Amino acid sequence: MSMTRTPTPIPWPRVLFTSSNAAQRKRIERAAARGELTALGHGIYARGGEDPAAALADHWPDVVRHLTDAKGHVSHRTALHFNPYSPEWFISWPAKRYRTIILGPKRIRLLAGMARPETREISLLGRPGRISTLETALLEVMEKRRGEYALAALTGTELEEFLLTAASRVDLKTLQAVAKRNKRETDGLLATIQAIRSRDPAKVRSPRLRALFNENEADPTRTELFAELAGFMSELSSERIE
């Protein structure tokens, strides 16, 4: 009497990428059909039963490499406030085209980036990935975008409030060097940095910063609380992730 053979479960990784090998690709497709893997899109799978958002966040360097042929890096506002668990990532790559990719619960915006950006390597759970330096990201968020890509940039108020705790860390020589080799204007950005460093309420547009800088109008308790909050938000920036 013959018995139906039950396939031995394969210990799939949390995130898996489609293979160019036909046999391996069929194994992955069959595993997805059995529910062992969940197809997220663009040849990316999560192990069955995994939280796709958490799995993608923990494997973000691999995801970026896969989607950009190892040529992209985390950029723009995502680089300034890098949180791999965010539902939306902005990523720059050399291709002169834009794409929006939906991976399960995550939306990834691929933007045509600078020809010669400055990036740094950061690691999450032992996986190294590339991300814009503070100076590069500041130049990136000054670029005006349209439509669904407009949120890659910061508004003037958002930029001022980010710089409240970041201005002292900006290397102006590096900023100007990156801007020069990529033919980017720096006048507006430098003026904003200088305004924040001066702490002159007449030079900023953010009502919160004007109150913070104007000692005659500011409530000392609220000022201290806001400064503490801004410091906490700065701790979440890419410069603090190792």
Side-chain angles (χ1 to χ4, degrees):
M1 179 178 179
S2 62
M3 298 181 64
T4 303
R5 183 178 179 182
T6 302
T8 303
I10 298 173
W12 298 106
R14 292 182 70 198
V15 174
L16 185 70
F17 304 96
T18 191
S19 174
S20 58
N21 180 281
Q24 176 66 359
R25 188 166 60 251
K26 288 182 179 178
R27 290 177 66 208
I28 292 172
E29 291 171 354
R30 286 196 293 267
R34 293 193 299 268
E36 295 175 18
L37 296 172
T38 300
L40 301 180
H42 289 266
I44 301 178
Y45 298 80
R47 186 169 59 199
E50 289 282 348
D51 176 359
L56 290 171
D58 291 346
H59 292 75
W60 71 265
D62 304 321
V63 173
V64 172
R65 278 192 288 271
H66 174 77
L67 294 178
T68 65
D69 296 325
K71 297 175 182 177
H73 66 277
V74 173
S75 63
H76 294 78
R77 70 161 62 229
T78 306
L80 292 181
H81 298 291
F82 186 55
N83 174 7
Y85 295 90
S86 170
E88 185 170 59
W89 297 345
F90 288 99
I91 296 170
S92 287
W93 63 342
K96 299 302 180 183
R97 65 183 187 276
Y98 297 72
R99 293 180 66 189
T100 294
I101 295 175
I102 306 298
L103 295 180
K106 192 171 296 293
R107 180 179 288 106
I108 298 177
R109 310 286 193 186
L110 299 183
L111 301 92
M114 297 181 188
R116 300 173 62 193
E118 182 176 276
T119 62
R120 63 190 291 262
E121 184 178 282
I122 63 174
S123 181
L124 182 68
L125 301 179
R127 296 178 177 85
R130 304 302 303 178
I131 188 168
S132 294
T133 61
L134 174 60
E135 291 75 22
T136 297
L138 287 172
L139 290 169
E140 289 168 337
V141 299
M142 294 291 289
E143 299 171 343
K144 300 303 179 184
R145 306 282 179 172
R146 295 181 179 180
E148 61 189 307
Y149 301 99
L151 285 177
L154 296 185
T155 65
T157 297
E158 287 176 320
L159 180 63
E160 288 178 347
E161 293 180 359
F162 173 79
L163 287 170
L164 176 63
T165 54
S168 62
R169 295 188 280 113
V170 179
D171 186 321
L172 297 182
K173 289 184 178 180
T174 298
L175 177 68
Q176 291 173 316
V178 175
K180 182 178 180 179
R181 70 172 180 255
N182 289 283
K183 298 180 181 180
R184 295 293 194 275
E185 294 294 331
T186 60
D187 291 350
L189 179 56
L190 290 174
T192 302
I193 293 172
Q194 294 301 337
I196 299 300
R197 289 182 175 181
S198 74
R199 300 182 72 83
D200 182 346
K203 294 182 178 180
V204 296
R205 68 187 73 182
S206 165
R208 286 183 288 182
L209 292 195
R210 286 200 299 269
L212 178 65
F213 294 162
N214 192 327
E215 296 180 352
N216 294 326
E217 297 181 5
D219 178 337
T221 302
R222 290 178 179 272
T223 296
E224 182 179 350
L225 180 62
F226 181 70
E228 289 179 359
L229 175 61
F232 170 74
M233 294 302 294
S234 178
E235 292 291 313
L236 301 181
S237 74
S238 65
E239 297 295 303
R240 299 291 301 175
I241 300 177
E242 301 295 345

